[in-house]
Amino acid sequence: KIIKRVSQSHNDHISIDLLSNYIEEILLYARFHFCSEENLMVLNNYPRSESHKELHNELIRALADMISMYRINKIERDDILSFLVEWFVEHTTKEDMKMAEYLKKQ
């Protein structure tokens, strides 16, 4: 839903400050979600937990960097949106599905 808000922000002509807040909200939510997911991996002895956690860390770093760059007008909203959509689709359909399959077997 938050990514959708960022996507629709172009049509709504919202301020840079509000868009920055939406992106910051995604970052905060991602941190919360990843922490919860990592707890689930530990509780279930997921064998790929370290590499999966590193992917989370890379995504958080990249998003934080993009937020900083957006705030100083070094990148556009569409650059962030493309990153978010790719991250959401790629990470959830590939890496998270590997974990889901493992958990189903447990």
Side-chain angles (χ1 to χ4, degrees):
K1 288 180 182 180
I2 307 168
I3 293 172
K4 189 174 182 177
R5 275 190 243 147
V6 172
S7 175
Q8 293 173 338
S9 68
H10 183 67
N11 297 334
D12 298 339
H13 304 289
I14 66 169
S15 71
I16 290 174
D17 288 337
L18 182 56
L19 183 55
S20 292
N21 286 344
Y22 283 162
I23 298 166
E24 184 73 28
E25 185 178 355
I26 293 169
L27 179 62
L28 293 172
Y29 177 78
R31 284 184 174 141
F32 164 78
H33 173 81
F34 289 164
C35 182
S36 297
E37 194 174 283
E38 290 163 13
N39 288 340
L40 187 62
M41 289 188 283
V42 170
L43 285 170
N44 290 280
N45 298 311
Y46 181 54
R48 298 175 47 101
S49 63
E50 287 304 315
S51 62
H52 197 109
K53 184 177 180 179
E54 186 52 39
L55 287 174
H56 288 170
N57 292 337
E58 289 172 16
L59 290 167
I60 293 295
R61 279 192 298 271
L63 184 54
D65 288 346
M66 293 186 101
I67 290 169
S68 297
M69 292 175 67
Y70 177 76
R71 287 187 175 145
I72 60 172
N73 296 316
K74 295 282 185 185
I75 62 171
E76 300 292 322
R77 177 195 62 91
D78 289 345
D79 297 322
I80 295 174
L81 187 58
S82 294
F83 171 78
L84 291 171
V85 169
E86 182 179 329
W87 154 42
F88 184 76
V89 170
E90 289 295 313
H91 186 77
T92 57
T93 60
K94 291 184 180 171
E95 295 304 319
D96 286 350
M97 291 311 280
K98 291 175 188 174
M99 184 176 65
E101 289 300 318
Y102 174 83
L103 293 175
K104 283 180 191 176
K105 292 176 183 175
Q106 298 301 307

